[in-house]
Amino acid sequence: MRNQSIFNTLSLSEKFKWFFLGQTVSLFGSAMTPVSLAFAILQVKQGQHLLGYILAAAVLPNILMLVIGGSIADRYRRDKLIRLSNLGSGCSQMGIAIIVLAGGNPYTIFPLAIINGILGAFTSPAMRGIIPELVERKHIKQANSLLNLSRSASKIVGPALAGTLVAIFGGGWGIAIDAVSFFIASIFMSRVHIPSHPVVSKTSFMHEIREGWSYFRKRRWIWLITGAFALINAVQMGVWQVLGPIIAKNTIGSTGWGLTLSIKAVGLLIASLVMLKLQLRYPLRDSLIAVAFGGIPLIVLGQGFALPYLLIVTAIAGVGQTISGIGWDTTLQQAIPRNKLSRVLAFDDLGAFITIPIGQVMAVPLAEIFGYKMVATVGGIVFILVALIPLLDRSIRKMNPEKERFSS
C-alpha cells in the first residue's frame, strides 16, 4: 500500500509500477554480483590478473553491440526486448554461478560473461528509452528519481549481503541470487505494455544508425559530456572495481569492502529522495559538479586512510553520482525526440563506456609498475579534473532541456 501511495502521489502509471518492481528485483540481485564475482576470482591462482580480463569480457561486447541494441530498441518493441534480455541474462548468470559453486575452471566464465555483455547492450538503451513511454513528460524526472531510489536501496543491501556470503560460503551464492532475480524481473516485465507499436521504418538499418549518429554529433553539449565520461569511467572502473577489491583484501577485507559499497549507496538513496522534489535549474552544470566528488574516494583509498574516512567520502560521492545520473538522463529524455532516443542513448553509452575495458585491463599492470596506492590517488585527481572540464563550455553551464526539446 505504501508503494501504491507513492505512485499515486507522483502521478505515475500502472505500467511504470510494474516496470519499477521488475527493475527493483533485478537491481537487488545485480548489486550482489560485483563483490561476489570479484572475491570468487581472487581466490583462484592468478586471480588478481584474471579479474580485470573477466570484467572486460562482459564490458567489451556490451560496448561493441550498443549501437545495434539502440537501433533495435527504436525500431521494435522496447517492452518485449527487455523481457527477452532479462531471461537470457538469468540463464547466463546462473551458468556463472554454477561454475563458481562447483569450483570449475574460471576461464569457462569468459563465454558466459560475453553473453551477459551482449544482452546488456540490448537492455540498456531500451530501459532508458522506455521511460517517456511509461510516464508523462513532466514526470520523467520523478520517474528517474524513483528508479534511482530503488537502485540506491539495492546497493545498500546487496554488497553488504554479498560480502557476508563471500566470507561464509564463497562468491557463488550471490551470483546465483542475481540469476534468479533476472527471471523474477522478466515475470514483472510481462505486465508492462507500451501504448503503441513502433512503426517499422522503410529505411535501412544502417541508415537509422547513421541518423542517430548525426543527431548525436551535432549536439555539442551531448558529445562533450560523453567524452568526459569516457575517461571518468575508465578511471572509476579500473581503480574502484579492479584495484579496490585487491587493496581491500589486504586492508579492510571483503566485509569492509562490501560495507564501503553499501555506504556509497546510502548517499545514493538520500540523494534519490531529495531529487523526487528538487528541481535543477541548470541540470548539466549541477550534474558535472556533483559527479566530481566521485574522485575523492579514489584518493582516500589510495592514501590508505582508515575505513571510517573512506565510508564518509564514499557516501558523499554517492550523493553526487545520483544527482549527476538523474540530471543527465532526464535532460536527454526530455530533449531528444522519442523515435531517436534509444539510438542517441546508445551512442552516449558507447562513447562513455568504450574506454572501460582499457581501464579494467590496464589497472593491475600500472599498479604493479607505479604502486597500487599511487595509481588510485592519481586516478582520483584525474577523475575530478575531467569531470569539471566541460563546464568551460558556456552552453553546458546554461543548458536547459526545455530549450533543446525536439530540436532538429
Short mmCIF file of all heavy atoms in Angstrom, two decimals, residues 360-394:
data_model
loop_
_atom_site.label_atom_id
_atom_site.label_comp_id
_atom_site.label_asym_id
_atom_site.label_seq_id
_atom_site.Cartn_x
_atom_site.Cartn_y
_atom_site.Cartn_z
N GLN A 360 40.03 -1.41 -17.04
CA GLN A 360 39.99 -2.66 -16.28
C GLN A 360 41.24 -3.51 -16.53
O GLN A 360 41.78 -4.11 -15.60
CB GLN A 360 38.73 -3.44 -16.65
CG GLN A 360 37.45 -2.80 -16.15
CD GLN A 360 36.21 -3.50 -16.67
OE1 GLN A 360 36.18 -3.95 -17.81
NE2 GLN A 360 35.18 -3.59 -15.84
N VAL A 361 41.68 -3.57 -17.78
CA VAL A 361 42.82 -4.42 -18.13
C VAL A 361 44.15 -3.78 -17.71
O VAL A 361 45.08 -4.47 -17.28
CB VAL A 361 42.81 -4.72 -19.64
CG1 VAL A 361 44.11 -5.39 -20.07
CG2 VAL A 361 41.62 -5.59 -20.00
N MET A 362 44.24 -2.44 -17.79
CA MET A 362 45.50 -1.75 -17.51
C MET A 362 45.70 -1.45 -16.03
O MET A 362 46.82 -1.11 -15.62
CB MET A 362 45.56 -0.44 -18.30
CG MET A 362 45.65 -0.63 -19.80
SD MET A 362 47.14 -1.56 -20.27
CE MET A 362 48.43 -0.45 -19.72
N ALA A 363 44.65 -1.57 -15.21
CA ALA A 363 44.74 -1.16 -13.81
C ALA A 363 45.83 -1.91 -13.06
O ALA A 363 46.69 -1.30 -12.41
CB ALA A 363 43.38 -1.37 -13.12
N VAL A 364 45.81 -3.23 -13.12
CA VAL A 364 46.80 -4.02 -12.38
C VAL A 364 48.21 -3.83 -12.93
O VAL A 364 49.16 -3.62 -12.14
CB VAL A 364 46.39 -5.51 -12.35
CG1 VAL A 364 47.53 -6.36 -11.79
CG2 VAL A 364 45.14 -5.70 -11.51
N PRO A 365 48.45 -3.92 -14.26
CA PRO A 365 49.82 -3.67 -14.76
C PRO A 365 50.37 -2.31 -14.35
O PRO A 365 51.54 -2.20 -13.96
CB PRO A 365 49.66 -3.77 -16.28
CG PRO A 365 48.50 -4.68 -16.47
CD PRO A 365 47.56 -4.36 -15.35
N LEU A 366 49.55 -1.26 -14.42
CA LEU A 366 50.01 0.06 -14.00
C LEU A 366 50.31 0.09 -12.51
O LEU A 366 51.29 0.70 -12.06
CB LEU A 366 48.95 1.12 -14.35
CG LEU A 366 48.81 1.50 -15.82
CD1 LEU A 366 47.63 2.44 -16.03
CD2 LEU A 366 50.10 2.13 -16.35
N ALA A 367 49.44 -0.57 -11.73
CA ALA A 367 49.64 -0.60 -10.28
C ALA A 367 50.92 -1.34 -9.90
O ALA A 367 51.58 -0.99 -8.92
CB ALA A 367 48.43 -1.24 -9.61
N GLU A 368 51.25 -2.37 -10.65
CA GLU A 368 52.47 -3.12 -10.36
C GLU A 368 53.73 -2.34 -10.72
O GLU A 368 54.80 -2.57 -10.17
CB GLU A 368 52.44 -4.46 -11.09
CG GLU A 368 51.39 -5.42 -10.52
CD GLU A 368 51.40 -6.77 -11.20
OE1 GLU A 368 51.94 -6.86 -12.33
OE2 GLU A 368 50.86 -7.72 -10.61
N ILE A 369 53.59 -1.39 -11.65
CA ILE A 369 54.73 -0.54 -12.02
C ILE A 369 54.87 0.64 -11.07
O ILE A 369 55.95 0.93 -10.54
CB ILE A 369 54.57 -0.03 -13.47
CG1 ILE A 369 54.62 -1.20 -14.46
CG2 ILE A 369 55.66 0.99 -13.80
CD1 ILE A 369 54.30 -0.81 -15.89
N PHE A 370 53.76 1.35 -10.83
CA PHE A 370 53.80 2.59 -10.06
C PHE A 370 53.33 2.44 -8.62
O PHE A 370 53.46 3.36 -7.82
CB PHE A 370 52.95 3.66 -10.76
CG PHE A 370 53.42 3.99 -12.14
CD1 PHE A 370 52.73 3.53 -13.25
CD2 PHE A 370 54.56 4.76 -12.34
CE1 PHE A 370 53.16 3.84 -14.54
CE2 PHE A 370 54.99 5.08 -13.62
CZ PHE A 370 54.30 4.61 -14.72
N GLY A 371 52.73 1.30 -8.31
CA GLY A 371 52.20 1.10 -6.96
C GLY A 371 50.68 1.24 -6.94
O GLY A 371 50.13 2.13 -7.60
N TYR A 372 50.03 0.36 -6.22
CA TYR A 372 48.56 0.37 -6.16
C TYR A 372 48.02 1.68 -5.61
O TYR A 372 47.07 2.26 -6.15
CB TYR A 372 48.07 -0.81 -5.33
CG TYR A 372 48.16 -2.14 -6.04
CD1 TYR A 372 49.36 -2.85 -6.09
CD2 TYR A 372 47.05 -2.68 -6.68
CE1 TYR A 372 49.44 -4.06 -6.77
CE2 TYR A 372 47.11 -3.89 -7.34
CZ TYR A 372 48.33 -4.57 -7.39
OH TYR A 372 48.41 -5.76 -8.06
N LYS A 373 48.62 2.15 -4.54
CA LYS A 373 48.10 3.36 -3.91
C LYS A 373 48.36 4.61 -4.75
O LYS A 373 47.54 5.53 -4.80
CB LYS A 373 48.72 3.51 -2.52
CG LYS A 373 48.26 2.42 -1.55
CD LYS A 373 48.80 2.62 -0.15
CE LYS A 373 48.26 1.54 0.79
NZ LYS A 373 48.73 1.73 2.18
N MET A 374 49.49 4.63 -5.46
CA MET A 374 49.79 5.77 -6.33
C MET A 374 48.80 5.85 -7.49
O MET A 374 48.29 6.93 -7.82
CB MET A 374 51.22 5.66 -6.87
CG MET A 374 51.60 6.75 -7.88
SD MET A 374 51.53 8.40 -7.16
CE MET A 374 52.99 8.33 -6.09
N VAL A 375 48.52 4.73 -8.12
CA VAL A 375 47.57 4.71 -9.24
C VAL A 375 46.19 5.13 -8.78
O VAL A 375 45.48 5.90 -9.46
CB VAL A 375 47.53 3.32 -9.89
CG1 VAL A 375 46.41 3.23 -10.93
CG2 VAL A 375 48.87 3.00 -10.56
N ALA A 376 45.77 4.67 -7.60
CA ALA A 376 44.46 5.05 -7.07
C ALA A 376 44.39 6.55 -6.80
O ALA A 376 43.39 7.22 -7.12
CB ALA A 376 44.15 4.26 -5.80
N THR A 377 45.45 7.11 -6.22
CA THR A 377 45.47 8.54 -5.88
C THR A 377 45.45 9.41 -7.14
O THR A 377 44.64 10.35 -7.25
CB THR A 377 46.72 8.87 -5.05
OG1 THR A 377 46.70 8.08 -3.85
CG2 THR A 377 46.75 10.35 -4.69
N VAL A 378 46.32 9.11 -8.08
CA VAL A 378 46.37 9.89 -9.33
C VAL A 378 45.05 9.74 -10.09
O VAL A 378 44.54 10.71 -10.67
CB VAL A 378 47.56 9.44 -10.19
CG1 VAL A 378 47.52 10.13 -11.55
CG2 VAL A 378 48.87 9.75 -9.49
N GLY A 379 44.50 8.53 -10.07
CA GLY A 379 43.21 8.31 -10.73
C GLY A 379 42.12 9.21 -10.17
O GLY A 379 41.30 9.76 -10.91
N GLY A 380 42.10 9.38 -8.84
CA GLY A 380 41.09 10.25 -8.23
C GLY A 380 41.25 11.70 -8.65
O GLY A 380 40.26 12.40 -8.90
N ILE A 381 42.50 12.18 -8.74
CA ILE A 381 42.75 13.56 -9.15
C ILE A 381 42.31 13.77 -10.61
O ILE A 381 41.65 14.77 -10.94
CB ILE A 381 44.24 13.90 -8.97
CG1 ILE A 381 44.61 13.86 -7.49
CG2 ILE A 381 44.55 15.27 -9.57
CD1 ILE A 381 46.10 13.96 -7.22
N VAL A 382 42.67 12.83 -11.48
CA VAL A 382 42.26 12.91 -12.88
C VAL A 382 40.74 12.91 -13.00
O VAL A 382 40.15 13.68 -13.77
CB VAL A 382 42.86 11.74 -13.68
CG1 VAL A 382 42.27 11.68 -15.09
CG2 VAL A 382 44.38 11.88 -13.75
N PHE A 383 40.08 12.06 -12.23
CA PHE A 383 38.61 11.97 -12.22
C PHE A 383 38.00 13.35 -11.97
O PHE A 383 37.10 13.79 -12.71
CB PHE A 383 38.21 10.99 -11.11
CG PHE A 383 36.75 10.68 -11.02
CD1 PHE A 383 36.27 9.40 -11.32
CD2 PHE A 383 35.84 11.64 -10.60
CE1 PHE A 383 34.92 9.12 -11.23
CE2 PHE A 383 34.48 11.36 -10.49
CZ PHE A 383 34.02 10.10 -10.81
N ILE A 384 38.45 14.04 -10.94
CA ILE A 384 37.88 15.34 -10.56
C ILE A 384 38.10 16.37 -11.67
O ILE A 384 37.17 17.11 -12.06
CB ILE A 384 38.49 15.82 -9.24
CG1 ILE A 384 38.07 14.89 -8.10
CG2 ILE A 384 38.05 17.25 -8.93
CD1 ILE A 384 38.82 15.14 -6.79
N LEU A 385 39.32 16.45 -12.19
CA LEU A 385 39.63 17.45 -13.22
C LEU A 385 38.81 17.23 -14.48
O LEU A 385 38.26 18.18 -15.06
CB LEU A 385 41.12 17.41 -13.54
CG LEU A 385 42.07 17.85 -12.41
CD1 LEU A 385 43.52 17.67 -12.82
CD2 LEU A 385 41.80 19.31 -12.02
N VAL A 386 38.72 16.00 -14.93
CA VAL A 386 37.99 15.70 -16.17
C VAL A 386 36.50 15.99 -16.01
O VAL A 386 35.85 16.45 -16.95
CB VAL A 386 38.23 14.23 -16.58
CG1 VAL A 386 37.33 13.85 -17.75
CG2 VAL A 386 39.68 14.02 -16.95
N ALA A 387 35.94 15.73 -14.83
CA ALA A 387 34.52 15.99 -14.60
C ALA A 387 34.20 17.48 -14.74
O ALA A 387 33.10 17.85 -15.16
CB ALA A 387 34.11 15.49 -13.22
N LEU A 388 35.15 18.34 -14.39
CA LEU A 388 34.89 19.79 -14.38
C LEU A 388 35.23 20.47 -15.70
O LEU A 388 34.77 21.59 -15.96
CB LEU A 388 35.68 20.44 -13.24
CG LEU A 388 35.32 19.97 -11.82
CD1 LEU A 388 36.24 20.64 -10.80
CD2 LEU A 388 33.86 20.26 -11.50
N ILE A 389 36.03 19.85 -16.55
CA ILE A 389 36.46 20.47 -17.81
C ILE A 389 35.29 20.89 -18.70
O ILE A 389 35.31 22.00 -19.27
CB ILE A 389 37.43 19.54 -18.56
CG1 ILE A 389 38.81 19.56 -17.88
CG2 ILE A 389 37.57 19.95 -20.03
CD1 ILE A 389 39.81 18.59 -18.46
N PRO A 390 34.22 20.06 -18.89
CA PRO A 390 33.12 20.50 -19.77
C PRO A 390 32.45 21.79 -19.32
O PRO A 390 31.78 22.46 -20.14
CB PRO A 390 32.13 19.32 -19.71
CG PRO A 390 32.98 18.14 -19.37
CD PRO A 390 34.02 18.67 -18.44
N LEU A 391 32.61 22.19 -18.07
CA LEU A 391 31.99 23.42 -17.58
C LEU A 391 32.62 24.67 -18.19
O LEU A 391 32.08 25.77 -18.05
CB LEU A 391 32.08 23.49 -16.05
CG LEU A 391 31.26 22.45 -15.30
CD1 LEU A 391 31.50 22.55 -13.80
CD2 LEU A 391 29.77 22.60 -15.60
N LEU A 392 33.75 24.50 -18.87
CA LEU A 392 34.34 25.63 -19.59
C LEU A 392 33.46 26.06 -20.75
O LEU A 392 33.57 27.20 -21.23
CB LEU A 392 35.73 25.25 -20.10
CG LEU A 392 36.78 24.93 -19.02
CD1 LEU A 392 38.06 24.42 -19.67
CD2 LEU A 392 37.05 26.15 -18.15
N ASP A 393 32.58 25.17 -21.21
CA ASP A 393 31.65 25.49 -22.30
C ASP A 393 30.40 26.15 -21.73
O ASP A 393 29.69 25.57 -20.92
CB ASP A 393 31.28 24.20 -23.05
CG ASP A 393 30.49 24.49 -24.31
OD1 ASP A 393 29.29 24.82 -24.18
OD2 ASP A 393 31.04 24.35 -25.41
N ARG A 394 30.13 27.38 -22.15
CA ARG A 394 29.01 28.13 -21.59
C ARG A 394 27.67 27.46 -21.88
O ARG A 394 26.75 27.50 -21.04
CB ARG A 394 28.99 29.56 -22.15
CG ARG A 394 27.94 30.45 -21.49
CD ARG A 394 27.97 31.87 -22.05
NE ARG A 394 27.03 32.73 -21.34
CZ ARG A 394 25.72 32.77 -21.59
NH1 ARG A 394 25.22 32.01 -22.56
NH2 ARG A 394 24.93 33.57 -20.90
#
